[in-house]
Amino acid sequence: MVEAGANGLFGLVVYLFMSAAIFLIAFYVAEKSYLKILLHSDASKSKKRGLANLDKEMLKDEKNTSPFWALVRKEWRTIMRSPNYVFQLVIPPLLIIVIYGVTFGIMLGSGAEGMPQLSLPALISLAQGFVTNNRGGVVLLITGISMFIASMNQISATAISREGSNAYLMRIIPQKPMDQIRAKILLGILVSGSILLVFYVSIGIVLMLPIFTLLQLIIPSFFALVLANYLMILVDIKSPMLVWENELAPVKQNKTMFFGMLICWAFATVFTVGGSFLLMVDFPIFYVFALVSMLCGLFVYLLERMIAKKGSTIFYSIE
């Protein structure tokens, strides 16, 4: 009992430390980015000179940048100019990994009810066994986890709503709807993808997985990540929240965020339940990897075809 309590206390301390570290890093990044991107804020003379130089650099970049990357840069600046957007849209996927990882570790370390008490070496050995025994269900489980984590990143889910009264410009600017949507979801894909890549590569190093095996786990997750961002932005296009006065409204009071998350959770549930069943049978990883990659890729392809076919009419709900 004493040992279990000590393990639980240690896990709690680790969780609090990591949460505080993430908060401080996010606050530092947001604070540094705010004055660099919000060009018309009040500033001291030195800051004004810095902002003036940055304004010239931005104008120069826009002249040398393609329209697509100009849209991507605009989306990035919209997010990073506000600490509120950073905390509400960028940080949640990272926090989810930390919270669930530490919680799961505490439960195993303390021998919670219904779970065996496992040491870290025993847990690593168990995980290695699932993967090295060529159990295809692991691919589905990882894909389900990735889909769930991607749903926590609300960058794509609020991309249209954050435009507010300027959203109507999306219907008239000389850019294909497909290019506009790709530009808006790219940031969400990069943020979630970077977090998941570091997470899975770290697991691969700890478990000493072969590179080919690790790729078979990561690639389907990437397709699921892209699919999640497409689904969430399409929900926001269908029913955007364009009338608001406070910048927090589209990221805290937006019902489309919840609907987008529900759709992603439905996919994540299917992947996770399917993976749990496949763990009971000897189904090769490669076949599951190929199947999941093709299915997610097919969904993305069909969504792109639908958007391309509708053209500018896909923005019919934006006024």
Side-chain angles (χ1 to χ4, degrees), residues 125-196:
S125 178
L126 180 63
Q128 284 177 330
F130 277 122
V131 179
T132 56
N133 287 339
N134 207 27
R135 294 185 180 273
V138 175
V139 176
L140 279 174
L141 288 176
I142 295 295
T143 305
I145 293 172
S146 300
M147 196 79 175
F148 176 75
I149 293 174
S151 71
M152 297 293 105
N153 182 344
Q154 298 296 311
I155 293 177
S156 297
T158 59
I160 309 300
S161 296
R162 281 186 279 107
E163 294 288 342
S165 58
N166 295 323
Y168 76 95
L169 295 173
M170 296 180 63
R171 298 189 302 179
I172 61 177
I173 63 174
Q175 281 289 313
K176 295 179 180 179
M178 191 71 259
D179 290 339
Q180 294 185 55
I181 292 175
R182 285 173 177 166
K184 286 186 172 298
I185 69 173
L186 181 59
L187 185 57
I189 293 173
L190 291 176
V191 170
S192 295
S194 300
I195 293 172
L196 288 173

Side-chain angles (χ1 to χ4, degrees), residues 227 230-231 234 298-308:
L227 176 60
Y230 267 110
L231 292 172
L234 287 176
L298 178 62
F299 273 114
V300 172
Y301 172 75
L302 292 176
L303 289 174
E304 290 211 351
R305 285 293 301 271
M306 180 195 73
I307 295 169

Side-chain angles (χ1 to χ4, degrees), residues 95-308:
L95 285 178
I96 287 295
I97 293 177
V98 173
I99 291 172
Y100 279 92
V102 173
T103 302
F104 185 69
I106 293 174
M107 292 174 66
L108 288 176
S110 60
E113 184 178 355
M115 299 188 69
Q117 184 173 356
L118 296 174
S119 62
L120 181 59
L123 179 60
I124 293 176
S125 178
L126 180 63
Q128 284 177 330
F130 277 122
V131 179
T132 56
N133 287 339
N134 207 27
R135 294 185 180 273
V138 175
V139 176
L140 279 174
L141 288 176
I142 295 295
T143 305
I145 293 172
S146 300
M147 196 79 175
F148 176 75
I149 293 174
S151 71
M152 297 293 105
N153 182 344
Q154 298 296 311
I155 293 177
S156 297
T158 59
I160 309 300
S161 296
R162 281 186 279 107
E163 294 288 342
S165 58
N166 295 323
Y168 76 95
L169 295 173
M170 296 180 63
R171 298 189 302 179
I172 61 177
I173 63 174
Q175 281 289 313
K176 295 179 180 179
M178 191 71 259
D179 290 339
Q180 294 185 55
I181 292 175
R182 285 173 177 166
K184 286 186 172 298
I185 69 173
L186 181 59
L187 185 57
I189 293 173
L190 291 176
V191 170
S192 295
S194 300
I195 293 172
L196 288 173
L197 182 62
V198 172
F199 177 58
Y200 290 141
V201 168
S202 300
I203 291 178
I205 293 173
V206 172
L207 299 182
M208 295 179 289
L209 298 178
I211 294 179
F212 183 67
T213 301
L214 186 60
L215 288 176
Q216 290 181 100
L217 299 177
I218 292 177
I219 292 176
S221 295
F222 171 76
F223 283 112
L225 175 64
V226 175
L227 176 60
N229 281 270
Y230 267 110
L231 292 172
M232 288 189 289
I233 197 172
L234 287 176
V235 172
D236 197 34
I237 289 174
K238 182 69 175 177
S239 181
M241 180 182 179
L242 302 178
V243 180
W244 46 267
E245 297 179 358
N246 190 308
E247 67 176 11
L248 279 177
V251 299
K252 290 183 73 74
Q253 303 170 12
N254 193 347
K255 292 185 293 185
T256 60
M257 291 174 53
F258 178 68
F259 293 138
M261 289 173 63
L262 282 182
I263 295 174
C264 291
W265 289 353
F267 275 89
T269 301
V270 171
F271 288 136
T272 304
V273 172
S276 301
F277 279 111
L278 284 183
L279 285 178
M280 304 176 186
V281 298
D282 188 14
F283 204 83
I285 284 182
F286 178 77
Y287 294 121
V288 181
F289 153 75
L291 179 62
V292 175
S293 298
M294 286 190 296
L295 285 177
C296 291
L298 178 62
F299 273 114
V300 172
Y301 172 75
L302 292 176
L303 289 174
E304 290 211 351
R305 285 293 301 271
M306 180 195 73
I307 295 169

